[in-house]
Amino acid sequence: MSFQQLDECCYYYHSSVNIGYVHQGTDGLLIDAGIDASSVKKVLKELEKRELPLTHLFITHAHADHYGGARFVQENYNVHTVAPVFEEAILRNPGLEPLYLFGGNDPLPELHNKFLEGPAVRVDEVVEEGEVAFGSLRAEAYHLPGHSYHQLGLKINDILFAADSYFSLETLKKHKIPFLTDVSLTLDSLDRLSQIPCRGSVPGHGKFEASPTLTIQNNMDYHEQLSAWLHQYLAEEGPVAHEVIVRAMCEHYNVEAQGLSQWLLFRTAVTAYLLGLKKAGLVEDRIMNNTWSFYITDQ
């Protein structure tokens, strides 16, 4: 873990979940806030040591590992908090995440944990794609869905803080089946990322790269590989019930969910790849014997 300076005004705190920081004059912007107070405290300590200002907080998307420390920042600093449209609803009502992951049923107590549900965040301003002002700071916000519904990346001073629109190769290999909501949207976002001119990029998980092109392509290749395996599996086994597909894909990629929370995340990710195949016209789905089943289109 380290606080790294990228240029005269852009920094990032490199950890398991990166936190960005940009300043200009008396304005200072924190980009995301880590999973909990202890995570963000390390960044705040660096800012105080360097006598850097903190006036604004931007949350790229409403996953707890990116906003869990935001309440602590708000309680201890006078920050104007900005968030993307739609994501802000979850930030203000964090119980929505375990609720939607659990399919709309009242979540079991074990789902109310810091990995799925951070402390509620006050949101002062809601933004969409386009130019965004943080005091004297000017940024360009890019809508990069696929990992989260209305995730926004920020480009400031030609540095792109890309949130979870792409991952380091190490992160992909660690998680094996990365969390997505829709792989087709993820691939669209990756294609767009590859065309955004910048002097370098900071992913939500991974190291800053002056040229992230290869890493972005690695992400595209990885998702295509998982989609291809799933298509081949359905060609050989289909029609297959949804939960059987989840189990089969987890087993193939040596994933072992340690509890309900983790299993729900993998279920969402596997479904994201199924949705991508369906959008591409490569698979179809229907209810068979009261189960949601998938099969390739020529079966």
Side-chain angles (χ1 to χ4, degrees):
M1 296 184 289
S2 61
F3 193 64
Q4 300 187 20
Q5 185 167 1
L6 303 176
D7 62 16
E8 66 276 9
C9 65
C10 295
Y11 303 71
Y12 83 110
Y13 192 82
H14 177 56
S15 185
S16 57
V17 183
N18 293 327
I19 298 174
Y21 174 77
V22 184
H23 73 91
Q24 179 173 293
T26 58
D27 292 313
L29 167 67
L30 201 64
I31 303 171
D32 288 336
I35 194 168
D36 54 23
S38 64
S39 299
V40 78
K41 280 179 182 178
K42 298 180 178 71
V43 183
L44 300 174
K45 184 178 179 180
E46 287 286 347
L47 299 184
E48 292 174 358
K49 183 173 70 175
R50 298 165 188 249
E51 298 183 342
L52 293 170
L54 179 55
T55 56
H56 293 75
L57 169 63
F58 179 74
I59 305 298
T60 60
H61 63 293
H63 288 168
D65 57 336
H66 289 260
Y67 77 83
R71 170 80 72 81
F72 178 84
V73 177
Q74 291 183 333
E75 290 175 344
N76 290 274
Y77 295 82
N78 182 23
V79 291
H80 182 79
T81 302
V82 183
V85 64
F86 191 89
E87 303 285 334
E88 57 88 18
I90 302 169
L91 293 170
R92 291 185 292 104
N93 304 278
L96 287 173
E97 182 169 356
L99 180 65
Y100 68 67
L101 286 172
F102 203 46
N105 293 108
D106 290 345
L108 293 172
E110 65 196 88
L111 299 181
H112 296 290
N113 59 67
K114 75 173 187 177
F115 300 102
L116 300 185
E117 181 181 0
V121 178
R122 183 193 77 247
V123 177
D124 301 308
E125 183 180 354
V126 179
V127 297
E128 297 191 59
E129 177 170 294
E131 186 173 313
V132 183
F134 302 96
S136 61
L137 288 163
R138 294 293 183 272
E140 187 71 22
Y142 294 91
H143 182 213
L144 301 169
H147 173 77
S148 190
Y149 309 105
H150 212 286
Q151 175 176 250
L152 291 180
L154 282 186
K155 186 169 77 168
I156 306 180
N157 202 32
D158 223 24
I159 299 293
L160 180 64
F161 294 89
D164 284 355
S165 56
Y166 76 97
F167 301 109
S168 69
L169 195 56
E170 179 185 10
T171 301
L172 288 173
K173 290 179 177 178
K174 174 184 176 183
H175 292 288
K176 300 178 182 177
I177 305 175
F179 183 83
L180 305 175
T181 58
D182 187 317
V183 74
S184 59
L185 291 177
T186 297
L187 289 168
D188 288 345
S189 292
L190 287 165
D191 181 63
R192 188 178 189 197
L193 275 173
S194 69
Q195 300 176 52
I196 297 174
C198 63
R199 292 188 294 111
S201 179
V202 179
H205 306 266
K207 294 181 179 179
F208 168 82
E209 292 180 289
S211 179
T213 305
L214 180 58
T215 302
I216 292 169
Q217 185 61 53
N218 286 337
N219 274 248
M220 297 178 80
D221 294 344
Y222 193 87
H223 296 310
E224 294 283 10
Q225 173 195 333
L226 267 66
S227 294
W229 178 87
L230 186 53
H231 185 260
Q232 182 63 32
Y233 169 77
L234 290 173
E236 295 172 356
E237 304 292 339
V240 187
H242 178 244
E243 289 200 5
V244 174
I245 297 170
V246 174
R247 182 184 66 197
M249 194 166 184
C250 286
E251 288 178 349
H252 179 79
Y253 286 96
N254 297 313
V255 166
E256 183 66 39
Q258 298 302 311
L260 181 59
S261 293
Q262 194 176 39
W263 183 82
L264 290 171
L265 295 174
F266 283 122
R267 181 181 69 172
T268 302
V270 172
T271 307
Y273 288 101
L274 286 167
L275 292 176
L277 291 172
K278 181 176 180 180
K279 284 186 173 184
L282 296 173
V283 305
E284 294 182 7
D285 65 308
R286 67 174 183 260
I287 302 300
M288 302 174 63
N289 300 319
N290 290 319
T291 63
W292 188 26
S293 300
F294 290 81
Y295 54 97
I296 65 170
T297 51
D298 60 354
Q299 289 182 327

